[in-house]
Amino acid sequence: MTRLATGAVIDGVAVITLDNPPVNALSAALRADLLAEVERAIGDAGVRAIVLICAGRTFIAGADITEFGKAPQPPSFADLFDVIENAPKPVVAALHGTALGGGFELALACHYRIAAQGAKVGLPEVHLGLLPGAGGTQRVPRVVGAQAALEIITSGRQIRASEALALGLVDRLAEADLREDALAFARQIVADGARCPRIRDREDRIAADRASPDLFADFAKANARRFKGFAAPSGIVEAVRAAVTLPFEEGLARETALFDELVASPQSAAQRHVFFAEREAARVPALPAEVQPIEIGSVGVIGAGTMGGGITMNFLNAGIPVRLIETTQEALDRGLGAIRRNYEAAAKKGRMSADQVEQRMALITPGLDLAALAEVDLVIEAVYESMEVKTDIFCKLDRIARPGAILASNTSFLDLNRIAAATNRPEWVIGLHFFSPANIMRLLEVVNGSATAWPVIACAMKLAKRIGKVAVLSGVCDGFIANRLLAPRGVQAEAMMLEGTPIAEIDRVLVDYGFAMGHFQMMDLVGLDVIGRDATERSVMGDLVGAGRLGQKRGAGYYDYDEQRRPSPSPVTLGLIGEVAAAKGIAASPTTGDDALLARLLYPVVNEGARILDEGIALRASDIDIAAILGYNWPVYRGGPLFWADQIGLPRIVAEMRALEAEHGETFAPAPLLVRLAEQGLGFGDKA
Ligand code: 3HC
């Protein structure tokens, strides 16, 4: 078997190279090989110091996440780290790429750390619903103090080498070649007396923290909104408190206990599912291996409204020039102004420099004529949702765009195949469905038309990553994956409203489940006039618009709003609900109880997901979860609707849906795939 860690002695320094592609995850096999090499180096009288360095693109990026939830294999992190930390010879970690999680914790158990200039370090476990479980919560506060440690560990952010040096998390930066500089550092340490300082022995920072016992409660309080619903942050606060209040070994034991609790929790299982699901979404199994994605060097965007502007910003941020086209100078100026204001606001918050604002703005070439798109590699149409308008644009584009240019529509529910049919090159037409605000939301639905060519799909999937999006491939259907999936939640919220369930109750249950806001709060935020403009029958929303209650922007929509935009129930809305219900002949039968409300709101989403999967609109169940999480802010710690359904158990969902079907009709009839999986004792995660 290939050894994952190999040693070579150079001038009295044992250089142990770890090589476990792609990211040197600290798997049991790597731990075993590393331990053997470290022990060999300790036992070798000719070795005066040890350097740990990684091959490939990065230092260890953490524990091997695939091993969580399985029986632990020896050696444990603790056993390995003990040998390293207690080694009688100095051990130097040489960091490049991203030294994360258990990888950075390993570095902290070494006596010294040297980092390449471009290296980053961090403890991102919180994003997996975990806390650092290999001493990170105990060692980091001993270096930077509890306050900074809390910030670093609860944010999970990656820290640049220069900041890590300033914080004392690394001892020096390599000047040129990391390996050579690490060797020189090790030799110098030997020449200076071969000291083996252990972070665990450092007391200065945490002694100071003992004087401020309130800092933990204050930190939790100040971040309550950010942490809401998540279990890991309070575990982190608890573990860092243990670092300050308990001796090292006891603090470590507390950290282990808290880690074990989290790793076994449904939240962490959900967040680990999301980690792999995001990466899996990029894979298109049917894509022939020889297909080369088309490269994109320039983009045209048609429409400088909110959507077109947001889409444009994604490309500017990635350094890709954009030709932005509008029909009137006024609309163009408005769009450009909005983009500039957005960047200037970011600059004000210190997220970019004034120069960077100008560099991005300089990448835009505004224009009023589609002819300006003759030479771009990709055109994205982002105009009003009208088949007539869109087919007209595509017909014109077909004549203007150069052969080999990709023509994309940002349509959110229209039939892409009809749009493609307006051209003589449907194989070059694709859907690129962004979610609003398009410069922020990470989901990009790549819509595969019936004629779309493989190189065009391959290009879109690759481009998504370049502009910081997660692409999910969708077939053509009304609403594609995310909008179609979530539509039933809105239908049920409105049905329950007419049956007399208070809208504040419906929204509260969704917020308690983990959504940032409820259905009606969301409608009010977007604007009832915007959402309801195509309505064909009488609705509460239509009546609210008729009464001038357009949503938050008017201080009144479904709710009344005060100056701080805090919602409160509105007697006007209540009256309108009663009137519309009476006109439709709906009798009062409010739904009560959180479980019943959630089942009514979210089981239809699960059901729609089953249909989307069964029809082959989505490639896999986890893509549907990603679409819900990244497109609709489905709480990440629930893992998405289908992962959540698996956790509840499909037989239970089928049984409850049948009961709902008996009461409310066939909308609740469980989808055939849901029934099949439940009968076979399987979950969505088991469906190949
Ligand atoms: N374990 C297992 N597999 C991992 C992994 C890990 N820690 N980190 C990355 N991978 C896999 C990915 O799944 C992906 O596999 P694939 O090619 O089959 O899809 C492959 O490595 C490459 O990863 P990315 O596509 O993400 O590559 P990038 O270059 O974009 O990013 C990275 C590299 C920044 C290292 C990113 O992969 C990452 O953030 N990894 C996770 C880091 C992390 O969370 N570490 C903490 C783990 S928990 C822990 O350490 C517990 C400890 O405290 C005890």
Side-chain angles (χ1 to χ4, degrees):
M1 254 177 58
T2 334
R3 303 237 318 279
L4 303 180
T6 45
V9 181
I10 303 165
D11 286 346
V13 178
V15 178
I16 301 177
T17 305
L18 284 58
D19 192 2
N20 185 21
V23 297
N24 289 311
L26 199 47
S27 61
L30 177 56
R31 292 197 301 273
D33 287 357
L34 175 58
L35 181 60
E37 284 303 327
V38 172
E39 282 175 336
R40 192 195 321 273
I42 291 173
D44 182 342
V47 168
R48 311 283 307 277
I50 301 167
V51 168
L52 305 185
I53 193 163
C54 284
R57 65 199 225 217
T58 181
F59 192 77
I60 299 167
D64 185 336
I65 304 168
T66 60
E67 289 182 353
F68 293 144
K70 298 180 188 159
Q73 298 296 319
S76 68
F77 278 76
D79 290 346
L80 170 66
F81 288 15
D82 269 352
V83 171
I84 291 173
E85 195 170 46
N86 296 320
K89 304 170 182 184
V91 184
V92 179
L95 316 178
H96 77 291
T98 40
L100 302 177
F104 184 46
E105 291 173 290
L106 170 74
L108 293 169
C110 294
H111 304 121
Y112 301 92
R113 287 149 293 282
I114 178 169
Q117 302 276 345
K120 290 179 183 163
V121 302
L123 296 170
E125 286 87 344
V126 68
H127 301 309
L128 301 169
L130 296 171
L131 51 79
T137 65
Q138 306 303 298
R139 290 191 178 90
V140 172
R142 284 176 161 78
V143 178
V144 300
Q147 185 72 34
L150 287 170
E151 184 277 316
I152 288 169
I153 305 173
T154 59
S155 71
R157 73 184 171 96
Q158 293 185 7
I159 303 167
R160 286 174 199 282
S162 51
E163 189 189 347
L165 180 70
L167 286 168
L169 289 169
V170 302
D171 303 296
R172 66 167 64 183
L173 301 190
E175 273 162 21
D177 183 74
L178 177 64
R179 190 182 143 94
E180 287 308 315
D181 287 1
L183 269 166
F185 188 27
R187 282 192 212 103
Q188 187 199 322
I189 292 163
V190 171
D192 291 348
R195 285 179 54 249
C196 296
R198 305 185 311 174
I199 289 177
R200 69 155 69 199
D201 299 326
R202 288 176 56 173
E203 269 292 309
D204 49 331
R205 299 307 298 254
I206 51 173
D209 289 329
R210 279 186 205 118
S212 338
D214 292 340
L215 86 89
F216 299 98
D218 291 348
F219 183 82
K221 203 167 150 204
N223 291 283
R225 244 184 98 172
R226 184 158 67 92
F227 298 161
K228 185 181 158 284
F230 289 92
S234 54
I236 291 168
V237 173
E238 186 54 36
V240 175
R241 189 205 307 270
V244 172
T245 55
L246 300 176
F248 184 81
E249 285 299 338
E250 284 176 40
L252 207 56
R254 186 79 194 108
E255 177 196 86
T256 305
L258 289 162
F259 179 87
D260 288 348
E261 220 173 275
L262 288 173
V263 85
S265 69
Q267 279 206 0
S268 176
Q271 289 181 256
R272 279 160 12 223
H273 161 73
V274 173
F275 176 85
F276 289 113
E278 264 190 31
R279 284 152 180 85
E280 190 65 21
R283 284 190 244 277
V284 182
L287 193 73
E290 68 279 7
V291 166
Q292 290 298 318
I294 297 158
E295 294 299 329
I296 300 297
S298 60
V299 172
V301 175
I302 306 172
T306 314
M307 207 55 184
I311 292 172
T312 299
M313 289 173 73
N314 289 303
F315 293 100
L316 305 180
N317 296 345
I320 302 172
V322 176
R323 286 181 177 260
L324 183 59
I325 308 296
E326 253 300 346
T327 46
T328 65
Q329 190 62 44
E330 199 194 341
L332 197 53
D333 290 344
R334 213 179 313 124
L336 288 169
I339 295 175
R340 176 173 279 286
R341 272 196 305 283
N342 215 309
Y343 281 138
E344 283 173 350
K348 229 174 169 177
K349 289 182 193 146
R351 296 205 195 115
M352 61 172 68
S353 66
D355 277 356
Q356 284 169 323
V357 174
E358 295 314 320
Q359 279 160 15
R360 282 172 171 73
M361 292 307 294
L363 286 171
I364 310 180
T365 309
L368 295 172
D369 189 351
L370 287 179
L373 303 177
E375 290 307 320
V376 297
D377 300 326
L378 162 70
V379 181
I380 303 175
E381 161 278 308
V383 304
Y384 185 65
E385 282 288 278
S386 146
M387 183 57 88
E388 213 181 316
V389 177
K390 294 202 190 244
T391 45
D392 179 53
I393 288 179
F394 273 75
C395 181
K396 287 180 181 142
L397 275 180
D398 193 24
R399 289 197 294 270
I400 292 166
R402 65 168 179 76
I406 298 176
L407 309 182
S409 173
N410 177 51
T411 181
S412 49
F413 62 87
L414 296 175
D415 181 349
L416 183 77
N417 293 330
R418 276 184 62 196
I419 298 175
T423 72
N424 290 307
R425 44 171 138 176
E427 64 279 21
W428 293 93
V429 176
I430 195 165
L432 291 180
H433 182 210
F434 291 81
F435 287 72
S436 191
N439 53 320
I440 309 248
M441 299 297 280
R442 287 176 62 224
L443 179 64
L444 177 64
E445 281 180 341
V446 172
V447 185
N448 183 4
S450 55
T452 312
W454 283 124
V456 177
I457 291 168
C459 168
M461 302 304 284
K462 191 171 157 199
L463 184 65
K465 188 153 190 194
R466 196 167 153 208
I467 60 171
K469 302 286 175 205
V470 176
V472 166
L473 191 67
S474 172
V476 176
C477 67
D478 192 8
F480 311 119
I481 299 175
N483 285 346
R484 175 175 162 187
L485 183 70
L486 269 297
R489 188 189 73 169
V491 170
Q492 291 311 316
E494 280 160 39
M496 285 196 286
M497 167 185 77
L498 290 175
E499 292 160 11
T501 311
I503 60 168
E505 257 314 88
I506 299 170
D507 280 353
R508 181 194 58 78
V509 164
L510 289 171
V511 171
D512 284 354
Y513 179 80
F515 286 101
M517 62 182 83
H519 171 77
F520 298 101
Q521 292 164 329
M522 169 77 105
M523 299 291 111
D524 275 355
L525 183 67
V526 179
L528 305 188
D529 50 335
V530 179
I531 300 168
R533 64 184 158 204
D534 296 326
T536 47
E537 57 179 86
R538 184 172 178 196
S539 66
V540 173
M541 193 187 293
D543 283 12
L544 287 168
V545 172
R549 301 179 64 96
L550 306 185
Q552 255 197 40
K553 58 188 168 189
R554 290 287 175 84
Y558 281 104
Y559 294 95
D560 287 334
Y561 292 88
D562 64 14
E563 288 79 43
Q564 272 86 46
R565 299 200 160 194
R566 279 181 305 221
S568 59
S570 152
V572 179
T573 305
L574 202 59
L576 288 176
I577 293 170
E579 279 177 31
V580 175
K584 290 181 184 275
I586 298 169
S589 59
T591 303
T592 52
D594 289 17
D595 286 349
L597 276 153
L598 265 192
R600 182 89 187 263
L601 289 162
L602 300 187
Y603 287 176
V605 175
V606 173
N607 214 32
E608 199 60 43
R611 288 203 193 93
I612 290 171
L613 191 57
D614 216 11
E615 289 167 23
I617 297 293
L619 288 180
R620 49 181 84 83
S622 61
D623 283 8
I624 296 174
D625 287 334
I626 290 299
I629 291 167
L630 300 184
Y632 269 86
N633 291 324
W634 191 283
V636 63
Y637 58 76
R638 303 279 184 187
L642 301 190
F643 185 84
W644 176 66
D646 280 354
Q647 284 193 326
I648 292 173
L650 301 192
R652 180 174 146 198
I653 294 184
V654 169
E656 289 189 33
M657 289 202 62
R658 290 214 163 108
L660 284 165
E661 185 185 3
E663 197 180 341
H664 299 286
E666 63 176 358
T667 325
F668 289 93
L673 175 65
L674 189 58
V675 175
R676 272 199 321 272
L677 290 172
E679 281 171 358
Q680 292 164 16
L682 298 174
F684 288 109
D686 302 309
K687 189 181 179 295

